[in-house]
Structure formats: structure tokens, C-alpha cells
Amino acid sequence: MSESQVKQQNTNAYHAQAVISFAIAIAAVGIGIFQLEASAWVRAFLAVSVLYLTTSAFTLAKVVRDRQESDRIVSRVDQARLEKLLAEHDPFQQKL
């Protein structure tokens, strides 16, 4: 009755690809802002905006991951309770 879930593992290559992709994206935006023909205030505002957007994206990803893990844990606890009740239930037991 109990189903074991397979824990998903990311490969080292996938992790490296994600890190490299993130680094390239941040570098490209940084170079684009630096090369932009605008005043220093405009470039500084864009740089701060990119940093804020990046930290917000990390925070959102963490919140979504935490919520999914929490839902999975609650689901597993409920499933364990149900399995315990079913294991303890004896339909032939006489009631007193």
C-alpha cells in the first residue's frame, strides 16, 4: 500500500549548466548597462533594479520550493495516519 517516491537528483552537469547560464545572463545585463549611452544615474538605477529583481527571483523560488516540500510532508503524514488506521482496523472484532 505504501509507495516510495523516487528522490529526484540533479546531475552535476545540469547544476553547472544552470550556474553558468545564470552567470552569463548577469554578465550580459551588466555589460549592457555599462555600455548604455545614458547618464550615470540611469545606469545606476538599472543596475540596482537588476540586483533587486535577481534577489526577488531567488526568494520566490525558495518560497515555492518550501511550499511544495511542506505540502509533500503533510501529504505523507496524512498517508501514514491512514495506513495506520487501516492496519489497526479489524472488521471481525466484536464491539463491547
Side-chain angles (χ1 to χ4, degrees):
M1 177 141 242
S2 129
E3 298 176 13
S4 62
Q5 294 182 357
V6 177
K7 184 177 180 184
Q8 295 180 349
Q9 287 279 9
N10 293 331
T11 63
N12 289 336
Y14 181 75
H15 184 265
Q17 178 186 0
V19 170
I20 291 169
S21 175
F22 176 75
I24 289 172
I26 287 292
V29 170
I31 291 169
I33 290 173
F34 182 73
Q35 295 293 327
L36 187 65
E37 294 182 16
S39 68
W41 284 104
V42 172
R43 289 188 299 202
F45 174 77
L46 291 175
V48 168
S49 298
V50 167
L51 292 175
Y52 181 62
L53 178 63
T54 303
T55 58
S56 297
F58 278 113
T59 302
L60 177 62
K62 182 187 180 311
V63 167
V64 168
R65 183 200 64 204
D66 290 348
R67 179 171 285 177
Q68 286 178 339
E69 286 179 355
S70 174
D71 290 345
R72 186 174 10 181
I73 289 171
V74 169
S75 167
R76 291 178 72 191
V77 168
D78 289 342
Q79 182 180 2
R81 285 182 184 156
L82 176 63
E83 287 179 3
K84 180 182 176 193
L85 284 173
L86 290 173
E88 292 174 351
H89 177 68
D90 185 5
F92 300 112
Q93 179 182 18
Q94 293 186 7
K95 295 181 182 179
L96 300 172

